[in-house]
Amino acid sequence: MSLVYRSIWQDDREGLCEGAFATLRTWIEEKYDSQIEVPRSGRSEAEIPMGGASCAVDLMVEEARAEGGPITALRAALAETRSDNVRWQTTLRAWDDRSGITRDSYLWIDVSVVGDDVDLRTMSPAAPRLARGLIAAGRLPRVGTNLLTTSPQMYFGAEAGEELAEIVSDFNRTLPVVVFSRDDARFTVFGSEDYSFDDLVTRVAHRTAGIASVAIIDSFATAVFTSALGESHGVWNGAFRVYLSNVDPAASNDAWRHRYVTADRYMGRRDTAATIVSRILKSVTPTRRPPESFKRAKALLDDVRTGKRDIESLTAYADSEIERHAREVIELRQRVGDLELQLDGAALDQQIAQEELASSIDLAEQLQRQVAYYMSLLQSTGRADEFENSAESVSNIPSSASNSTDAAVKARHYFADRITIPDKALVDLEKLDTAPNAAAWGQEAWRAFRALHTYASSLDTASDDKGFMYWCKYSRHPFAWPSSKLAMKESDTIGSNSKSRKQRTFPVSNEVSQDGQIYMEAHMKIALSGNSLIPRLYFWIDHENASIHVGYFGPHQNIKNSRS
């Protein structure tokens, strides 16, 4: 099984294991509407209807107490095997060790998953309700000296900003800190009336409960906080930043580790910020290791399970550890492979960008000479104002988009006269909006829509016998799309495969096709290479009506190729 969530924290509550069991029982009874028994110790099984299908639920509870009572330990595992054979397991461990000079009382929650159709690359941790319940009921729940909460912490005023800067820059801190710079004016522009800024940030706190702390700072705290950490590590103008451990404000090149997300990137959807943060943390949370006192608690629980600490139990434990580490190695290799693909893709994109820049500079110089010549002619006839008015109408179209959703929304607004984008064509854009390359992909997508609109507009004034690819390659129009990132045809393998054709058959109006759908081969590669999340834009050109129909805009993973 693959670990997707892990939280280990201290709790000073008296009767910690008793309290943990009570919270566990309440959570399971509410989750399954009391359809499964929660034993004090032992095993319980049930088949429970979930979402129109059956789910096999298996619960195991173990508890132990050392002779003389210095250590009390609890271990519980809840496994859910769903109809699609995806198996989720939530494991709770609690122990209260008073055998030493100081008290060691901890809670530990793991969430793991296994299944043929599970894509770990796009999966991100989310705190189970059990974790939030335990944190809310705890006494000083903390990781090191950093308190855990299930809601955002407010840092308002100059003193609070300085206090937060000290917390973030503490080299002993291991708990990530997410800092939101409150900016109500920007939320009015980029946010929505359907939810508030506080609601948005609260969702981040709920999703990352146990694995991060979330803070909101006002304008006064923002100024002091950013001044203390420096602009390279600060946060402002409604943005948020995820601070991992070992923040070094003195090293400006350290800032890239602590992801910075601007207001326009996350405020447009209620859950975007929570998804971005959890994906950033997905490589951090599984690495947390239990304290030394867990070994004593585990030994007690294993004694209860086996009745004795014999060689067979030790061998079984060793085998399980070897298997677990082997799985971790495989997952790390897969992650390295994904990163290598992304690096190759970035190198290709950079090479193309450099070639485009050189070509654009050459074209810009040529156009400047032409503009200067035509302006002199217009001025000589007293018609220079006509040029200024036309320039103003062009400048009303934005030159950028913050993410893929923003690009699609703007394309619908500004290019509706030439481009049709049905709702069904926009697929999983939230996955693109929360990816590390979201801003770059959004800008490229906007560039793609603009190229399609410009080409369609040209069809209205002149026939085009050579097609879109030729226009992109040879027109030297400033809005032309790079021909190296355009495919007008799919391979014969794709075309002859019924499943592949079906994936590329998209809905259009009945005016275009009598059966309301068309097999689309032409597509624009928003990014050239990387993992399966990179965006693709499929389209169909209606030459007769000088318009474009977008059939699909979303992650490549939904449109398989011959190598998928």
Side-chain angles (χ1 to χ4, degrees):
M1 299 187 79
S2 298
L3 185 63
V4 295
Y5 173 92
R6 167 170 288 178
S7 180
I8 305 173
W9 72 93
Q10 287 181 272
D11 193 314
D12 292 344
R13 183 173 20 159
E14 290 298 327
L16 180 64
C17 293
E18 287 287 340
F21 177 78
T23 302
L24 172 75
R25 180 170 54 194
T26 300
W27 173 61
I28 292 176
E29 288 176 348
E30 292 179 351
K31 182 179 179 71
Y32 302 114
D33 196 21
S34 300
Q35 295 181 75
I36 184 172
E37 180 186 357
V38 182
R40 183 71 210 203
S41 181
R43 188 171 186 174
S44 181
E45 298 176 286
E47 288 283 336
I48 297 176
M50 289 182 67
S54 180
C55 178
V57 180
D58 186 345
L59 173 64
M60 174 68 75
V61 180
E62 300 167 313
E63 59 178 7
R65 183 186 299 274
E67 295 182 10
I71 301 178
T72 300
L74 170 73
R75 178 167 54 197
L78 175 71
E80 301 171 293
T81 305
R82 301 176 182 175
S83 57
D84 57 359
N85 289 324
V86 174
R87 178 182 173 89
W88 286 89
Q89 179 166 307
T90 303
T91 305
L92 166 66
R93 301 174 181 88
W95 65 97
D96 191 355
D97 185 354
R98 306 195 184 200
S99 60
I101 299 175
T102 59
R103 176 187 178 190
D104 279 333
S105 50
Y106 283 87
L107 290 163
W108 176 359
I109 292 181
D110 280 352
V111 178
S112 303
V113 65
V114 65
D116 294 337
D117 295 328
V118 175
D119 188 355
L120 294 173
R121 292 171 296 186
T122 59
M123 188 170 291
S124 53
R129 192 155 52 91
L130 174 62
R132 298 200 301 270
L134 289 168
I135 292 171
R139 181 185 178 192
L140 295 178
R142 63 196 182 278
V143 175
T145 59
N146 301 116
L147 292 178
L148 293 180
T149 64
T150 59
S151 59
Q153 299 301 293
M154 309 299 176
Y155 289 84
F156 292 173
E159 291 185 7
E162 185 174 354
E163 176 189 352
L164 183 60
E166 291 178 359
I167 293 173
V168 167
S169 58
D170 183 1
F171 275 97
N172 293 319
R173 176 181 59 83
T174 60
L175 184 72
V177 180
V178 187
V179 179
F180 284 81
S181 169
R182 189 182 194 104
D183 191 321
D184 293 333
R186 277 180 169 76
F187 186 80
T188 300
V189 175
F190 300 116
S192 170
E193 295 180 354
D194 297 334
Y195 52 89
S196 66
F197 177 77
D198 291 322
D199 181 22
L200 184 153
V201 181
T202 297
R203 285 176 178 254
V204 178
H206 280 186
R207 188 158 178 175
T208 61
I211 59 177
S213 65
V214 179
I216 298 176
I217 54 179
D218 65 1
S219 58
F220 298 103
T222 294
V224 175
F225 178 81
T226 300
S227 176
L229 295 181
E231 288 195 7
S232 62
H233 289 75
V235 61
W236 55 85
N237 291 346
F240 74 82
R241 191 188 285 271
V242 181
Y243 293 93
L244 303 180
S245 58
N246 300 324
V247 173
D248 187 0
S252 59
N253 59 357
D254 166 73
W256 67 270
R257 291 195 307 113
H258 314 290
R259 180 84 173 277
Y260 186 86
V261 181
T262 55
D264 59 330
R265 283 276 316 282
Y266 76 89
M267 287 184 176
R269 279 201 183 103
R270 191 198 311 259
D271 293 314
T272 298
T275 304
I276 291 175
V277 173
S278 61
R279 285 184 177 172
I280 293 171
L281 298 179
K282 72 177 181 180
S283 61
V284 178
T285 56
T287 62
R288 194 168 293 280
R289 293 291 176 255
E292 284 295 316
S293 60
F294 174 67
K295 294 180 181 179
R296 295 188 290 274
K298 184 179 184 303
L300 285 176
L301 291 166
D302 286 345
D303 284 342
V304 171
R305 177 181 293 180
T306 62
K308 58 182 179 178
R309 297 287 290 168
D310 55 15
I311 188 64
E312 292 181 3
S313 65
L314 290 174
T315 302
Y317 172 71
D319 289 343
S320 67
E321 287 295 289
I322 291 171
E323 183 181 354
R324 180 176 66 83
H325 285 298
R327 287 195 299 269
E328 290 179 352
V329 169
I330 292 173
E331 291 173 10
L332 286 172
R333 285 175 177 171
Q334 290 175 341
R335 189 176 301 171
V336 168
D338 286 343
L339 290 173
E340 287 177 345
L341 283 174
Q342 293 180 40
L343 185 60
D344 290 343
L348 285 171
D349 287 337
Q350 183 182 24
Q351 179 181 350
I352 290 174
Q354 289 174 339
E355 293 173 356
E356 291 175 7
L357 177 61
S359 177
S360 297
I361 291 173
D362 180 44
L363 178 59
E365 292 176 348
Q366 177 184 337
L367 292 175
Q368 284 176 345
R369 290 193 297 270
Q370 290 179 357
V371 167
Y373 172 72
Y374 291 128
M375 277 298 295
S376 65
L377 293 180
L378 287 171
Q379 287 172 350
S380 66
T381 60
R383 298 172 59 189
D385 290 343
E386 294 181 12
F387 174 82
E388 297 296 337
N389 293 333
S390 64
E392 287 179 7
S393 65
V394 172
S395 65
N396 288 333
I397 298 177
S399 59
S400 63
S402 58
N403 54 35
S404 296
T405 297
D406 187 37
V409 169
K410 286 178 176 175
R412 278 176 157 176
H413 178 73
Y414 291 99
F415 302 150
D417 60 324
R418 300 290 178 187
I419 301 180
T420 301
I421 310 174
D423 291 339
K424 291 183 179 179
L426 305 179
V427 182
D428 292 338
L429 294 190
E430 66 278 2
K431 292 183 179 180
L432 303 181
D433 293 346
T434 56
N437 296 328
W441 290 347
Q443 183 59 29
E444 280 296 281
W446 174 241
R447 184 182 174 195
F449 284 123
R450 196 161 193 179
L452 290 173
H453 181 263
T454 304
Y455 175 71
S457 299
S458 71
L459 294 178
D460 201 29
T461 57
S463 60
D464 182 12
D465 299 330
K466 297 181 179 178
F468 184 51
M469 174 66 82
Y470 186 89
W471 181 83
C472 289
K473 203 167 186 177
Y474 299 109
S475 71
R476 291 180 64 82
H477 194 285
F479 296 152
W481 181 253
S483 59
S484 56
K485 299 171 70 173
L486 174 65
M488 297 304 293
K489 295 278 292 181
E490 293 282 19
S491 67
D492 293 339
T493 304
I494 293 291
S496 61
N497 184 288
S498 59
K499 184 177 180 180
S500 298
R501 285 187 66 90
K502 185 177 180 180
Q503 288 180 336
R504 291 160 175 79
T505 302
F506 304 112
V508 293
S509 66
N510 292 329
E511 296 176 357
V512 177
S513 174
Q514 291 183 351
D515 61 357
Q517 56 183 10
I518 282 182
Y519 171 55
M520 296 187 188
E521 297 182 88
H523 60 278
M524 304 168 94
K525 305 171 184 179
I526 307 304
L528 282 177
S529 182
N531 59 25
S532 59
L533 197 60
I534 56 176
R536 288 290 184 267
L537 195 160
Y538 279 78
F539 63 94
W540 187 79
I541 302 174
D542 182 356
H543 288 270
E544 182 178 349
N545 295 306
S547 62
I548 304 288
H549 293 263
V550 173
Y552 176 84
F553 176 43
H556 191 15
Q557 62 189 15
N558 299 322
I559 311 293
K560 306 294 184 182
N561 57 30
S562 58
R563 294 173 294 176
S564 300

